[in-house]
């Protein structure tokens, strides 16, 4: 494994005493960064069956000893799945005590039976205000872990995705609680008013900019409740709350879209991931169209600039408007949209209720084209 992980001991410039005092390194200073592209936990963990759990645990422990918060989170996740080696490694790191993840003050509410009941029964209550959503993202961004995640990637992909936010912040913060972030922040639940459709592969900072820009430009109160699946659902499969499938069985997306309190859907347009290439998103948007819910596009500045540059280059070179829209990626092709294998058959069945693939592509492409006219 040395060839894959050789840089860990040489290129990670992280304070050795981080574990003793992580808050000391939570400023936004960029002086303590890791070498871009030097290591990737995803690559390491996907080979764990080949290498053996003990080899992965040893590598993670070595990284954690050098100050990697990311490695500690991975060890905590493995230990929570009853991995004895990971538990022992954490005890060694914590001088005999398994370290705990530090939660923000706004997530320290006592969990009640009512909160757990809401998580198991009432998807429309799993919402939070945009101000609360901003507070979570800002808390993540202020941490050393956020910068570690970003700079552990290759130079051309140095951003923190929603997948990363879920894995390294949402799950550790909610593990053992039985409730998602939304209910931890709103113990009595908060009725969703705005449904957000987005791709998890996007850059969380770009999404932050797109949403806040849209709210401000459209005069939308940031105390309106947004339904954001990553923060709405209980993401930890630990038996302390409903698992993902139990929550999906509640048909939360359709239930929220059909709710009388929901007056609009925001379709987030960012550059790192295209929501129209995710089958869940195509299904959500098509459901909203059927329910006559207003659908608005929240564009990031990067998306606007990329769209304009691509489209205008095509026009300047003598191509048609349709060619320009095609080059800018405005054509929806549902047959190419992806999702988890276990979700695909269900999503295709649901989409078929709205017509053929060609019909869906035509209506959603028309909708998307109308969205970009203003830019």
């Amino acid at each position: 494994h040395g060839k894959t992980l050789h840089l860990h001991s040489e290129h990670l410039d992280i304070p050795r005493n981080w574990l003793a005092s992580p808050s000391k390194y939570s400023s936004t200073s960029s002086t303590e960064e890791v070498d871009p592209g030097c290591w990737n936990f995803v690559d390491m963990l996907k080979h764990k069956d080949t290498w053996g759990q003990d080899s992965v645990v040893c590598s993670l422990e070595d990284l954690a000893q050098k100050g990697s918060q990311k490695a500690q989170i991975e060890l905590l996740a493995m230990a929570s799945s009853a991995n004895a080696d990971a538990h022992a490694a954490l005890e060694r790191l914590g001088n005999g005590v398994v370290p705990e993840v530090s939660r923000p003050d706004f997530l320290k509410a006592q969990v009640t039976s009512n909160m757990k009941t809401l998580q198991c029964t009432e998807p429309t209550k799993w919402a939070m205000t945009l101000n609360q959503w901003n507070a979570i993202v800002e808390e993540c961004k202020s941490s050393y872990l956020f910068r570690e995640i970003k700079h552990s990637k290759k130079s051309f992909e140095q951003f923190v995705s929603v997948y990363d936010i879920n894995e390294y912040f949402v799950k550790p913060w909610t593990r053992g609680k039985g409730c998602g972030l939304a209910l931890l922040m709103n113990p009595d639940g908060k009725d969703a008013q705005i449904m957000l459709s987005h791709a998890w592969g996007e850059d969380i900072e770009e999404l932050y900019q797109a949403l806040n820009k849209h709210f401000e430009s459209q005069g939308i109160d940031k105390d309106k409740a947004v339904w954001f699946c990553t923060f709405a659902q209980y993401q930890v499969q630990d038996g302390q709350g409903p698992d993902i499938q139990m929550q999906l069985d509640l048909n939360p997306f359709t239930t929220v879209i059909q709710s009388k309190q929901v007056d609009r859907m925001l379709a987030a347009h960012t550059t790192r991931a295209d929501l129209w290439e995710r089958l869940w998103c195509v299904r959500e948007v098509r459901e909203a169209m059927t329910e006559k819910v207003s659908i608005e596009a929240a564009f990031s500045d990067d998306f606007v600039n990329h769209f304009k540059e691509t489209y205008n280059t095509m026009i300047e070179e003598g191509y048609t408007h349709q060619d320009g829209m095609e080059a800018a990626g405005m054509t929806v092709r549902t047959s190419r949209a992806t999702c988890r294998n276990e979700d695909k058959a269900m999503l295709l069945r649901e989409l078929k209720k709205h017509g053929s693939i060609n019909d869906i592509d035509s209506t959603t492409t028309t909708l998307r084209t109308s969205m970009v006219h203003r830019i």
Side-chain angles (χ1 to χ4, degrees):
H1 329 307
K3 191 168 185 180
T4 305
L5 307 174
H6 72 278
L7 37 74
H8 295 153
S9 60
E10 298 172 351
H11 294 277
L12 284 173
D13 183 18
I14 304 174
R16 281 190 170 274
N17 61 342
W18 168 78
L19 285 172
S21 182
S23 61
K24 179 180 177 182
Y25 304 103
S26 62
S27 72
T28 56
S29 168
S30 60
T31 58
E32 297 165 343
E33 296 180 354
V34 298
D35 194 11
C38 61
W39 46 275
N40 189 319
F41 282 136
V42 174
D43 289 342
M44 174 169 40
L45 293 173
K46 73 183 179 183
H47 293 299
K48 64 185 177 185
D49 293 333
T50 304
W51 295 357
Q53 290 276 5
D54 56 340
S55 296
V56 173
V57 169
C58 286
S59 298
L60 290 172
E61 183 178 1
D62 182 56
L63 283 167
Q65 284 176 334
K66 294 176 173 64
S68 170
Q69 296 183 29
K70 199 175 177 188
Q72 187 190 19
I73 294 294
E74 293 288 359
L75 285 170
L76 284 165
M78 294 173 74
S80 71
S81 301
N83 184 299
D85 289 336
H87 194 277
L90 285 168
E91 286 190 334
R92 288 192 292 272
L93 291 167
N95 296 319
V97 179
V98 174
E100 291 187 359
V101 173
S102 177
R103 294 180 175 88
D105 289 340
F106 54 75
L107 292 178
K108 292 183 178 176
Q110 186 69 35
V111 176
T112 65
S113 59
N114 182 60
M115 291 164 67
K116 289 193 172 186
T117 298
L118 289 174
Q119 193 71 60
C120 293
T121 59
E122 297 287 342
T124 58
K125 296 285 189 181
W126 308 344
M128 62 175 60
T129 69
L130 185 70
N131 281 324
Q132 290 177 322
W133 188 93
N134 284 341
I136 291 172
V137 176
E138 288 162 7
E139 181 74 20
C140 295
K141 287 170 60 179
S142 70
S143 69
Y144 183 83
L145 176 57
F146 189 91
R147 297 194 301 284
E148 184 185 349
I149 295 167
K150 180 184 290 190
H151 293 290
S152 68
K153 300 179 181 180
K154 293 180 174 64
S155 58
F156 58 83
E157 57 181 20
Q158 283 189 3
F159 67 95
V160 177
S161 71
V162 178
Y163 288 114
D164 293 325
I165 293 293
N166 183 52
E167 201 64 37
Y168 295 107
F169 294 96
V170 177
K171 287 183 179 181
W173 285 347
T174 58
R175 183 169 285 116
K177 298 293 186 180
C179 298
L181 291 181
L183 281 171
L184 287 177
M185 297 184 79
N186 302 286
D188 295 324
K190 187 169 282 290
D191 289 315
Q193 296 170 289
I194 298 172
M195 172 76 175
L196 178 61
S197 187
H198 69 107
W200 281 42
E202 68 205 338
D203 180 344
I204 189 68
E205 292 178 282
E206 197 178 343
L207 178 62
Y208 177 97
Q209 191 266 332
L211 292 181
N212 281 279
K213 175 185 174 184
H214 186 81
F215 269 68
E216 291 161 9
S217 66
Q218 300 301 308
I220 304 172
D221 188 348
K222 291 186 181 181
D223 280 328
K224 291 200 79 169
V226 176
W227 203 92
F228 181 74
C229 57
T230 317
F231 298 165
Q233 294 176 287
Y234 185 54
Q235 302 290 350
V236 190
Q237 310 269 58
D238 62 357
Q240 298 301 308
D243 62 27
I244 296 297
Q245 191 56 53
M246 289 172 64
Q247 293 169 93
L248 291 180
D249 288 344
L250 296 172
N251 204 4
F253 302 95
T254 298
T255 301
V256 171
I257 290 168
Q258 293 178 343
S259 170
K260 292 181 180 179
Q261 284 83 14
V262 173
D263 59 9
R264 74 186 80 195
M265 170 184 280
L266 294 187
H269 286 65
T270 57
T271 59
R272 293 292 187 167
D274 185 353
L275 80 159
W276 305 92
E277 293 178 357
R278 295 296 294 168
L279 204 54
W280 275 105
C281 297
V282 176
R283 186 253 176 131
E284 291 162 9
V285 171
R286 197 63 193 80
E287 191 82 36
M289 293 173 72
T290 299
E291 295 298 323
K292 304 272 192 291
V293 173
S294 174
I295 305 172
E296 302 171 6
F299 299 113
S300 71
D301 288 344
D302 285 348
F303 179 89
V304 171
N305 293 335
H306 174 74
F307 171 80
K308 286 181 176 180
E309 180 180 356
T310 304
Y311 177 83
N312 289 335
T313 297
M314 294 295 288
I315 299 303
E316 288 165 5
E317 295 303 322
Y319 289 89
T320 65
H321 165 73
Q322 188 57 43
D323 292 333
M325 297 297 282
E326 177 76 24
M330 294 300 105
T331 302
V332 178
R333 292 187 173 86
T334 305
S335 61
R336 298 182 187 176
T338 60
C339 64
R340 298 189 311 166
N341 289 336
E342 53 265 47
D343 296 335
K344 191 159 192 175
M346 177 274 291
L347 290 172
L348 289 173
R349 283 195 300 272
E350 291 296 319
L351 279 168
K352 198 170 184 181
K353 296 175 183 178
H354 303 289
S356 68
I357 290 292
N358 286 338
D359 292 337
I360 294 167
D361 286 349
S362 177
T363 54
T364 50
T365 296
T366 298
L367 171 67
R368 191 176 198 191
T369 301
S370 69
M371 288 177 170
V372 299
H373 274 314
R374 66 184 175 91
I375 62 171

